Amino acid sequence: MSRFTYALIALSLLVPKQSAAQDVEYDLAELRARIDSLSALQQQFQQAARVRDSVAAATRTEKSSVPLDTAVVGPFTLITSARDREHVERLFARAWSEAPAMVKAAERRLRGSTWVVALKSDTGAIQTFAKQEKLQFLPIIYWRVDSFAEDPVEHALLEATVQTFPQDVRQWLGSVPRSQDPQNLRRELAVAPGEKAQRCHAGEVEACIDVLGLRGERWAVWYTAAEIREHVRRFAPDLQEDFEGACSDPPDTEVCARFVATRLRLAPPVGSRIRASFLWHVLDRAAPSDLDRFASDTTATLEQRMRNVAGDLDAAVRSWHSEMIEAPQQSMPATARTGIASLIWFMVAAGFATRSTRWRLG
Amino acid sequence: MSNAIEARGVAYRAGKNFEIRDLDLNVPSGSIYGFLGPNGAGKTTTIRLLLGMTRAAGGRMTVLGHDSSRDVARALQRTGYVPERPHLYAAFTVDEAMRYHRAFYPSWDDAWAEKLKRSFALPDDRRIAKLSKGEVGKLMILLALAQRPELLVLDEPTDGLDPMIRRDALSAVLDYVAEARATVFISSHLVHELERICDWVGVLDHGQMVAEMPIESFKNGVKRVRLQGSPGALDDAPFAVLSRTPDQLTAGETWIVRGWQDPMRQYFDHAGASVREVADLDLEEVFVELLRSSRVAAR
Amino acid sequence: MFAQTLMLNWKVARWPLLPFVLIAFGLPLLALRMAASFTDAVVFAPGRALLGALEIWTPFFPFLAFLCGAACALSVWAWDHRANHVYALTLPLPRWKYVLLKLGAGALLVFIPAFAVLAGALIGSSGLTLPDGLHAYPVTFAFRFLLAAMIAYAAIFALAAGTQRTTTLVLAGLVLFMIFGEIGAGYLNDTLHTLLPAPFELLEAALLRWPGPFNVYGGNWMLIDV
């Protein structure tokens, strides 16, 4: 522990003693918690100082081939080229202001996050700098910085937020999906394999809780024996003998489950996109204090943590399900918008055709 | 007398070598106007300008009282046009071509169209691409006539056709004109053909009008005068000298003059020459002499 | 006038359109039959297998729609171009009216391949047993095809209505814009660190994204969906 930490601890101990003028007994756990929170603060301070020094050093010694500058937006420290600083700051400021509630609620946990951001023209030089300083690198390659660049920035905020969640949540979620197109989510659920997934699609809450993997990666819950056997027959016929050996009993035995997970590599019925959509659905409706608890509680199971933050998990599943099923049907092109737009463009083309007064001979 | 076609100061340019400059044209209503000129004179271009197919660089043109540059569609409603080269859709049959054409002309005469089709012996269901050149020519004239136009514009309508077809085509036109008192504007380089049917004539050469007058004045006013002796310069001649050629054999001269009248013989008595003979020229000879003299004057 | 113009357009466009009409009928039929052959044998994830099998065919339909529209547009002008437009120019109606007559009559012909798609999709989906949650959309699919073909028809018609010189100028202008725009934008972005868009990206955004003229080509071209 550094001298700085000792100083902070001493300060925190001294102040109550001076003000209270009575003996206060400190619980060991409480003291440890306070030290932990101060350590986190110290780490953030050290990180910020390091960033400041590395930027200054890079500029001074021309470590980076382009002059760098920093900006602070919300909890984020951004390093980018001096020329693009304004663009980058504006992008992140807009993304931060429009970020979902669960991202904003993670502000305290996100404090100290540093991104090295490169817009199209300076990607190479800045990427080198980020690698050398071991900082997170965010290239934005879209030319329309103000609109198309929003996607990678929004995604970066989501990713950063997820990084503050406990390990089991991150493992359950997998990769943070880039888009949450409602139509695609609905489609993914409708064609998810297995009878259990179909029951979830039909609206059965318990089936959805199972299929979402909130109770763990349980193959025997997701798929029936016949379904797994069919999968082996179609996609891994060479493992058929081994499968019969491991899963001759019902497939909820440990041996069978291990076989399915490791050798068969059968995917869960729904992937990261569906899981993430449920997670965002629940977290966006939670209070900031609940979100903090969700992020910091490492003892409860995932299902329990979800219940704690959602209040009524069944109701949350029902509302999530109905939102997804009611997602607008995009395969229907006959929306008024598309039809009218096509008609207008048809008339525009007609106008050009009739204006073709260069309609003379010679 | 009003004009069916009028042009004032028309100008047009195409490339470096072809130009129409200051073209004036007057086609009296009810006349058969022969528009003469050698190949490349600009006859077809003039017709295209009149019918709005090409845009003029300057000047004003009216067809049946309608401005060619702004209101040509109304003029075309009352105008039958036969172009120099076939312009119909080759995959149409004769009947299809007639039905298509009829749709655009409320004045179309079905009975007369059928009559013409029979008299021209055109097969109903043969495609235009399979018709002979003469049959295509006849079909184009049929389409132009069957719409009962007030003005017929024919651009070299009998060019390349055999004499029998030429005769059939022209007589159909003349029959119509006699009946309907329509105006005909017919361009050709076949002068002898126009001589028989036209009552007005205009001569175009290198984009400029050389002469425009009733045909009688055209024919009768130009004479070949053979002289005995060689008169000097005649500044005050009462006639226009189109050409003057020495005659080696007789030591005299042969003149082509325009605006000749018999009493003008006396003119030469004072000029040191005498008139041996005055002869009429046919339209073709007049045409050639006119062109020759205009080209000399232009140089 | 319209009837005769339609007859003219029909005569000139029917043979060029025929192969596209046959393909328009056969393609959805083939796609659905092949997708069905996947799902018949699949117990585990029939819906996913069906959608996956159909997805292979999705790029063909917008491409076919474009070709149908373009073929129709080029055909209806073909005879006029061949005859140098003399006949059309001497008809007694203003040029703009003639062009509109031709446009409208040709647009009716574009319905033919769209009906062919509808017929193929209806027949193809009629005998198909779909997994729960999936539905066939032959009518809306054919309607999307019609919209896409119409837009292509109108665009190519407008281009073909001009002279060859105009078309050459437009296309050459486009190519030059792409080439020099790419060079110019790249140079300015590198030297002055601007954020100028590449011409291709500009065109793509302007044409293919909402509310561009070809935005109907994007989106979901699945005959079967949730």
Side-chain angles (χ1 to χ4, degrees):
Chain A
M1 222 188 282
S2 72
R3 276 184 220 164
F4 176 74
T5 313
Y6 282 128
L8 285 174
I9 293 168
L11 202 66
S12 71
L13 288 171
L14 280 171
V15 165
K17 233 181 185 173
Q18 284 175 353
S19 63
Q22 56 181 320
D23 285 342
V24 176
E25 281 186 2
Y26 284 94
D27 184 75
L28 202 60
E30 197 184 316
L31 185 65
R32 197 168 282 134
R34 293 191 79 176
I35 290 169
D36 284 345
S37 71
L38 289 170
S39 298
L41 200 60
Q42 182 203 14
Q43 275 169 13
Q44 286 171 11
F45 175 80
Q46 283 173 341
Q47 164 90 337
R50 206 179 65 236
V51 165
R52 186 201 61 222
D53 291 342
S54 64
V55 169
T59 311
R60 218 173 29 244
T61 63
E62 290 174 11
K63 208 173 185 181
S64 159
S65 58
V66 295
L68 300 175
D69 200 352
T70 56
V72 175
V73 174
F76 298 106
T77 302
L78 309 168
I79 305 172
T80 186
S81 71
R83 274 181 297 262
D84 296 327
R85 194 193 73 87
E86 237 180 85
H87 289 297
V88 170
E89 194 174 8
R90 197 169 56 238
L91 266 175
F92 271 81
R94 189 184 317 162
W96 178 249
S97 71
E98 291 167 5
M102 65 169 194
V103 172
K104 289 221 181 95
E107 183 170 357
R108 191 183 54 78
R109 283 176 275 123
L110 288 169
R111 209 161 285 284
S113 297
T114 305
W115 290 92
V116 178
V117 184
L119 293 185
K120 196 174 176 184
S121 52
D122 289 326
T123 307
I126 294 183
Q127 186 175 18
T128 311
F129 171 78
K131 257 193 204 150
Q132 285 169 352
E133 303 302 318
K134 295 190 180 56
L135 294 169
Q136 282 189 105
F137 176 62
L138 177 63
I140 296 175
I141 60 170
Y142 294 104
W143 57 267
R144 282 183 63 182
V145 172
D146 286 346
S147 53
F148 291 122
E150 283 161 8
D151 277 348
V153 177
E154 280 171 25
H155 186 254
L157 296 191
L158 271 177
E159 253 194 46
T161 306
V162 168
Q163 287 305 311
T164 65
F165 292 157
Q167 166 80 357
D168 62 335
V169 175
R170 293 197 307 244
Q171 219 162 7
W172 166 80
L173 185 61
S175 60
V176 177
R178 277 211 172 259
S179 87
Q180 288 276 284
D181 175 17
Q183 181 66 18
N184 284 335
L185 291 174
R186 184 176 156 183
R187 190 180 296 118
E188 186 176 336
L189 187 61
V191 300
E195 188 220 335
K196 186 62 74 84
Q198 293 309 302
R199 278 160 49 195
C200 171
H201 180 254
E204 198 182 299
V205 170
E206 287 300 313
C208 284
I209 293 174
D210 283 331
V211 157
L212 284 167
L214 295 178
R215 294 178 178 140
E217 313 286 317
R218 292 162 61 192
W219 311 96
V221 168
W222 291 338
Y223 304 113
T224 63
E227 285 167 353
I228 299 177
R229 188 166 283 115
E230 169 65 20
H231 176 87
V232 171
R233 189 188 66 79
R234 269 183 65 80
F235 300 108
D238 50 328
L239 292 178
Q240 200 143 9
E241 215 177 291
D242 295 343
F243 168 72
E244 295 300 340
C247 300
S248 56
D249 292 334
D252 56 357
T253 63
E254 202 183 303
V255 168
C256 185
R258 201 165 43 238
F259 176 85
V260 170
T262 57
R263 296 210 47 211
L264 212 51
R265 293 204 207 107
L266 190 58
V270 297
S272 287
R273 278 197 303 208
I274 297 276
R275 291 182 177 188
S277 83
F278 178 71
L279 182 63
W280 306 159
H281 180 88
V282 167
L283 295 185
D284 264 346
R285 285 154 183 75
S289 55
D290 290 332
L291 283 170
D292 272 340
R293 233 176 336 128
F294 175 83
S296 56
D297 186 354
T298 50
T299 55
T301 62
L302 177 62
E303 184 188 357
Q304 191 54 52
R305 255 184 273 133
M306 285 286 195
R307 284 191 190 280
N308 291 344
V309 76
D312 183 348
L313 184 63
D314 288 7
V317 169
R318 270 193 292 271
S319 71
W320 164 77
H321 179 270
S322 67
E323 226 178 65
M324 211 166 34
I325 298 303
E326 280 158 25
Q329 182 55 275
Q330 279 182 24
S331 71
M332 295 287 179
T335 59
R337 196 172 89 147
T338 312
I340 289 170
S342 300
L343 184 64
I344 290 171
W345 282 111
F346 187 91
M347 292 195 298
V348 166
F352 274 113
T354 56
R355 281 298 301 155
S356 172
T357 54
R358 179 45 190 107
W359 253 112
R360 310 279 176 168
L361 301 172
Chain B
M1 182 167 39
S2 65
N3 290 329
I5 297 176
E6 237 177 62
R8 292 284 173 268
V10 173
Y12 173 82
R13 196 180 186 94
K16 288 183 197 158
N17 299 322
F18 180 75
E19 193 183 358
I20 290 177
R21 244 188 356 235
D22 269 333
L23 180 70
D24 291 344
L25 194 64
N26 301 279
V27 178
S29 297
S31 67
I32 302 179
Y33 187 105
F35 193 42
L36 295 173
N39 292 331
K43 301 190 297 296
T44 298
T45 303
T46 304
I47 288 173
R48 287 177 173 175
L49 286 166
L50 290 171
L51 297 184
M53 283 185 270
T54 309
R55 201 193 315 251
R60 196 170 176 270
M61 293 167 285
T62 56
V63 175
L64 298 174
H66 299 287
D67 190 322
S68 288
S69 58
R70 283 193 218 112
D71 202 13
V72 74
R74 289 212 201 153
L76 289 172
Q77 193 75 55
R78 296 143 67 194
T79 304
Y81 171 57
V82 179
E84 187 182 12
R85 290 200 201 99
H87 64 325
L88 304 174
Y89 298 124
F92 268 171
T93 62
V94 170
D95 271 354
E96 282 169 347
M98 287 170 65
R99 276 201 295 273
Y100 183 78
H101 203 83
R102 182 179 68 187
F104 294 91
Y105 296 93
S107 53
W108 179 273
D109 187 336
D110 258 331
W112 198 38
E114 288 298 318
K115 190 176 161 203
L116 280 171
K117 187 172 74 173
R118 278 194 305 275
S119 75
F120 285 156
L122 290 171
D124 293 344
D125 52 2
R126 195 178 302 163
R127 288 196 297 133
I128 291 172
K130 298 285 184 204
L131 295 177
S132 67
K133 188 173 179 182
E135 285 172 327
V136 173
K138 284 194 280 189
L139 176 60
M140 291 199 289
I141 288 176
L142 180 160
L143 293 177
L145 290 176
Q147 70 186 78
R148 294 265 175 208
E150 290 171 40
L151 168 67
L152 263 172
V153 177
L154 310 172
D155 190 357
E156 316 240 11
T158 58
D159 190 31
L161 302 182
D162 68 49
M164 274 191 65
I165 294 175
R166 280 216 298 269
R167 189 198 63 188
D168 289 344
L170 283 177
S171 33
V173 169
L174 291 172
D175 286 345
Y176 175 71
V177 167
E179 179 204 324
R181 295 182 190 275
T183 309
V184 181
F185 182 87
I186 178 166
S187 91
S188 185
H189 60 272
L190 302 174
V191 183
H192 59 276
E193 196 169 68
L194 297 189
E195 191 172 1
R196 291 182 288 116
I197 61 173
C198 293
D199 42 35
W200 270 81
V201 85
V203 180
L204 188 75
D205 189 30
H206 284 111
Q208 292 210 284
M209 283 300 271
V210 170
E212 184 180 59
M213 62 188 77
I215 197 150
E216 291 308 319
S217 311
F218 195 73
K219 280 196 305 190
N220 297 334
V222 179
K223 304 283 184 192
R224 181 184 294 114
V225 179
R226 291 193 204 281
L227 298 174
Q228 187 66 49
S230 295
L234 300 169
D235 299 324
D236 57 346
F239 45 80
V241 180
L242 300 183
S243 73
R244 188 173 161 175
T245 322
D247 196 334
Q248 310 278 347
L249 285 172
T250 60
E253 286 187 6
T254 303
W255 287 25
I256 308 293
V257 303
R258 193 174 73 190
W260 174 265
Q261 286 168 18
D262 212 52
M264 290 172 188
R265 285 170 180 267
Q266 298 166 15
Y267 180 81
F268 288 100
D269 297 339
H270 306 294
S274 61
V275 174
R276 279 196 311 132
E277 185 195 9
V278 176
D280 286 330
L281 298 175
D282 66 22
L283 194 63
E284 190 150 342
E285 289 170 311
V286 172
F287 172 65
V288 169
E289 291 303 330
L290 266 176
L291 288 180
R292 197 181 288 166
S293 71
S294 87
R295 287 172 187 180
V296 165
R299 267 190 254 119
Chain C
M1 268 190 254
F2 184 78
Q4 286 302 313
T5 308
L6 182 60
M7 190 271 296
L8 169 67
N9 281 359
W10 165 248
K11 272 202 84 112
V12 76
R14 59 188 174 176
W15 296 119
L17 262 185
L18 179 63
F20 295 106
V21 169
L22 292 174
I23 295 171
F25 174 73
L27 203 59
L29 202 61
L30 186 65
L32 288 167
R33 287 285 175 242
M34 288 195 71
S37 70
F38 270 89
T39 59
D40 286 344
V42 172
V43 168
F44 185 64
R48 200 177 272 181
L50 178 73
L51 290 187
L54 269 180
E55 232 167 6
I56 300 164
W57 300 92
T58 48
F60 290 106
F61 289 101
F63 185 57
L64 180 64
F66 184 86
L67 287 179
C68 288
C72 200
L74 292 171
S75 303
V76 300
W77 279 117
W79 285 5
D80 280 293
H81 280 310
R82 206 176 298 156
N84 209 20
H85 296 265
V86 172
Y87 193 18
L89 284 170
T90 54
L91 288 174
L93 71 171
R95 181 66 185 172
W96 63 266
K97 224 184 224 182
Y98 178 78
V99 170
L100 282 181
L101 271 176
K102 219 167 180 57
L103 178 74
L108 287 184
L109 297 181
V110 176
F111 276 83
I112 298 174
F115 277 128
V117 164
L118 178 63
L122 281 170
I123 294 170
S125 58
S126 63
L128 208 57
T129 311
L130 292 173
D132 287 339
L134 293 181
H135 310 275
Y137 297 98
V139 176
T140 48
F141 184 79
F143 186 67
R144 175 180 278 262
F145 186 92
L146 176 68
L147 286 181
M150 277 293 180
I151 287 294
Y153 167 75
I156 303 293
F157 183 94
L159 208 60
T163 56
Q164 207 164 3
R165 199 181 80 164
T166 310
T167 310
T168 310
L169 281 174
V170 167
L171 293 175
L174 210 64
V175 169
L176 289 173
F177 168 68
M178 303 273 274
I179 295 173
F180 288 103
E182 187 72 43
I183 295 170
Y187 175 75
L188 287 172
N189 286 342
D190 289 340
T191 53
L192 300 179
H193 296 277
T194 52
L195 287 167
L196 290 172
F200 183 76
E201 289 160 340
L202 255 179
L203 274 178
E204 189 208 12
L207 295 177
L208 293 177
R209 292 179 207 265
W210 173 265
F214 294 102
N215 86 92
V216 70
Y217 280 81
N220 193 356
W221 279 84
M222 294 289 276
L223 242 174
I224 291 175
D225 208 344
V226 290

Short mmCIF file of all heavy atoms in Angstrom, two decimals, chain B residues 27 30 146 149 167 170 181 213 228 236 254 262-263:
data_model
loop_
_atom_site.label_atom_id
_atom_site.label_comp_id
_atom_site.label_asym_id
_atom_site.label_seq_id
_atom_site.Cartn_x
_atom_site.Cartn_y
_atom_site.Cartn_z
N VAL B 27 -45.00 30.11 -98.24
CA VAL B 27 -45.74 29.08 -98.97
C VAL B 27 -47.21 29.47 -98.92
O VAL B 27 -47.86 29.35 -97.88
CB VAL B 27 -45.53 27.70 -98.32
CG1 VAL B 27 -46.36 26.65 -99.06
CG2 VAL B 27 -44.05 27.32 -98.32
N GLY B 30 -52.99 26.74 -100.05
CA GLY B 30 -53.64 26.15 -101.22
C GLY B 30 -52.71 25.91 -102.39
O GLY B 30 -53.14 25.37 -103.42
N ALA B 146 -54.37 9.92 -95.07
CA ALA B 146 -55.57 9.43 -94.39
C ALA B 146 -55.95 10.29 -93.19
O ALA B 146 -57.08 10.25 -92.71
CB ALA B 146 -55.39 7.97 -93.96
N PRO B 149 -55.00 16.02 -93.82
CA PRO B 149 -54.29 17.21 -93.35
C PRO B 149 -54.63 18.45 -94.17
O PRO B 149 -55.06 18.33 -95.33
CB PRO B 149 -52.82 16.84 -93.55
CG PRO B 149 -52.85 15.92 -94.72
CD PRO B 149 -54.14 15.15 -94.65
N ARG B 167 -45.71 7.55 -109.92
CA ARG B 167 -46.94 8.07 -110.53
C ARG B 167 -48.12 7.83 -109.60
O ARG B 167 -48.94 8.71 -109.38
CB ARG B 167 -47.16 7.40 -111.88
CG ARG B 167 -48.28 8.00 -112.70
CD ARG B 167 -48.74 7.09 -113.79
NE ARG B 167 -49.30 5.87 -113.21
CZ ARG B 167 -49.65 4.80 -113.92
NH1 ARG B 167 -49.46 4.79 -115.23
NH2 ARG B 167 -50.17 3.74 -113.34
N LEU B 170 -47.87 10.21 -106.53
CA LEU B 170 -48.16 11.62 -106.84
C LEU B 170 -49.61 11.84 -107.22
O LEU B 170 -50.21 12.87 -106.85
CB LEU B 170 -47.24 12.11 -107.96
CG LEU B 170 -45.80 12.41 -107.50
CD1 LEU B 170 -44.94 12.82 -108.68
CD2 LEU B 170 -45.77 13.50 -106.44
N ARG B 181 -58.31 21.03 -101.26
CA ARG B 181 -57.64 22.32 -101.36
C ARG B 181 -56.56 22.48 -100.30
O ARG B 181 -56.41 23.54 -99.67
CB ARG B 181 -58.63 23.48 -101.23
CG ARG B 181 -59.61 23.53 -102.36
CD ARG B 181 -60.52 24.74 -102.19
NE ARG B 181 -61.61 24.67 -103.14
CZ ARG B 181 -61.57 25.10 -104.39
NH1 ARG B 181 -60.46 25.62 -104.87
NH2 ARG B 181 -62.61 24.98 -105.18
N MET B 213 -40.72 32.11 -106.41
CA MET B 213 -41.68 32.79 -107.28
C MET B 213 -42.67 31.79 -107.85
O MET B 213 -42.44 30.58 -107.77
CB MET B 213 -40.95 33.49 -108.43
CG MET B 213 -40.19 32.51 -109.33
SD MET B 213 -39.15 33.32 -110.52
CE MET B 213 -37.79 33.81 -109.51
N GLN B 228 -25.21 37.90 -131.70
CA GLN B 228 -24.16 38.05 -132.71
C GLN B 228 -23.32 39.24 -132.26
O GLN B 228 -23.82 40.34 -132.10
CB GLN B 228 -24.81 38.34 -134.08
CG GLN B 228 -23.83 38.36 -135.25
CD GLN B 228 -23.26 36.96 -135.47
OE1 GLN B 228 -23.98 35.97 -135.53
NE2 GLN B 228 -21.95 36.89 -135.61
N ASP B 236 -27.04 49.04 -117.26
CA ASP B 236 -28.43 49.45 -117.12
C ASP B 236 -29.38 48.48 -117.80
O ASP B 236 -30.43 48.84 -118.29
CB ASP B 236 -28.63 50.87 -117.68
CG ASP B 236 -28.17 50.92 -119.12
OD1 ASP B 236 -27.48 49.96 -119.58
OD2 ASP B 236 -28.51 51.88 -119.83
N THR B 254 -23.56 33.56 -125.80
CA THR B 254 -24.84 32.99 -125.34
C THR B 254 -25.09 33.50 -123.92
O THR B 254 -24.26 33.31 -123.04
CB THR B 254 -24.80 31.45 -125.35
OG1 THR B 254 -24.49 31.00 -126.66
CG2 THR B 254 -26.13 30.87 -124.89
N ASP B 262 -39.74 40.44 -124.95
CA ASP B 262 -39.33 40.58 -126.36
C ASP B 262 -38.82 41.98 -126.75
O ASP B 262 -37.81 42.08 -127.47
CB ASP B 262 -40.49 40.15 -127.27
CG ASP B 262 -39.94 39.54 -128.55
OD1 ASP B 262 -39.09 38.62 -128.46
OD2 ASP B 262 -40.30 40.03 -129.63
N PRO B 263 -39.49 43.06 -126.33
CA PRO B 263 -39.00 44.40 -126.73
C PRO B 263 -37.56 44.68 -126.28
O PRO B 263 -36.94 45.63 -126.76
CB PRO B 263 -39.97 45.35 -126.01
CG PRO B 263 -41.21 44.54 -125.81
CD PRO B 263 -40.76 43.14 -125.57
#
